[in-house]
Amino acid sequence: MTVNIALLRGINVGGKNKIKMADLREALTAIGLQDVQTYIQSGNILFKSDEGEAALRSRIEEQIETVFGLSIKVIIRTAEEMRVIAASCPFTEEQLAAAAVTAQGEYLYVSMMLEAPTAEQLETLRSFETDKELFDCKGRDLYLLFYETVRNSKLAVKAEKLGVHSTVRNWNTINKLVSLADGMESSTSPS
């Protein structure tokens, strides 16, 4: 079975779209997902399934709407896709080190999108890039680097408005999800 990671957009943020993780795990187990676990309250769900991405996304979105009455967009990546995201940071060690010194809080994020943005969408986004706010796109994943803060960032706002369903996670969360997925895969006994 494949380890998948479902990333929910906009839950438990500012008191809106509240879902308890224990209830979410129970709801997703009820539709046949196996070994369901969650990480923090922002809608990171790891599970095992052999279904394809589109079918899983549809079933999870429907179950969340049925059980919780919320219309939430779900982005799915396999454990392998998440490992590739973590291994493919496009920014140099020098850029990351400089951002780590100057940023107020987290400085590296990945916006995971349902589909890859068009060249035109990326060109529009490029017009909001500055020497303090950088991005690079690899397929369906948009890497964002902030030398100051993501708060009040024009680039971050425009990235959210690309016209592609997406959800953003910080670099620490990306790496933790990889670690949890690795643990799930290593705990699988051979058939």
Side-chain angles (χ1 to χ4, degrees):
M1 294 214 131
T2 301
V3 173
N4 292 277
I5 302 161
L7 304 149
L8 279 57
R9 179 186 165 98
I11 68 160
N12 298 334
V13 177
K16 295 183 179 180
N17 296 334
K18 288 187 155 195
I19 299 177
K20 291 182 180 175
M21 293 299 102
D23 296 341
L24 182 59
R25 287 190 299 272
E26 184 179 305
L28 297 181
T29 299
I31 60 170
L33 304 183
Q34 296 185 16
D35 299 332
V36 178
Q37 57 180 284
T38 55
Y39 173 66
I40 61 177
Q41 298 297 310
S42 59
N44 304 293
I45 309 141
L46 296 96
F47 61 93
K48 293 178 182 173
S49 174
D50 283 332
E51 283 185 81
E53 179 182 332
L56 283 170
R57 187 176 54 254
S58 177
R59 289 195 328 115
I60 293 169
E61 287 174 356
E62 288 173 14
Q63 183 71 342
I64 290 171
E65 187 148 11
T66 299
V67 174
F68 303 103
L70 299 172
S71 179
I72 301 290
K73 289 295 177 191
V74 176
I75 303 294
I76 295 181
R77 296 292 187 265
T78 64
E80 181 56 30
E81 288 171 324
M82 195 63 77
R83 278 191 287 276
V84 169
I85 290 169
S88 301
C89 179
F91 303 110
T92 67
E93 290 297 322
E94 292 79 18
Q95 288 174 309
L96 296 173
V101 170
T102 61
Q104 300 166 18
E106 296 288 339
Y107 54 89
L108 181 57
Y109 295 82
V110 179
S111 175
M112 289 159 283
M113 300 172 281
L114 188 57
E115 58 202 32
T118 65
E120 183 178 297
Q121 288 169 317
L122 290 175
E123 192 56 39
T124 299
L125 186 59
R126 187 76 56 205
S127 67
F128 293 94
E129 191 174 43
T130 69
D131 61 339
K132 301 287 185 201
E133 300 178 6
L134 307 173
F135 81 91
D136 195 5
C137 190
K138 294 188 176 207
R140 302 186 301 164
D141 305 305
L142 186 71
Y143 295 78
L144 300 157
L145 180 64
F146 300 97
Y147 284 90
E148 292 174 351
T149 179
V150 68
R151 299 182 202 284
N152 305 319
S153 163
K154 288 182 182 178
L155 180 64
V157 169
K158 294 301 180 183
E160 286 294 308
K161 296 180 178 179
L162 273 178
V164 179
H165 290 297
S166 66
T167 189
V168 177
R169 297 296 185 272
N170 69 46
W171 197 246
N172 289 335
T173 298
I174 296 288
N175 285 299
K176 182 62 177 181
L177 292 171
V178 168
S179 175
L180 291 170
D182 288 348
M184 285 180 75
E185 286 178 339
S186 67
S187 70
T188 304
S189 57
S191 303

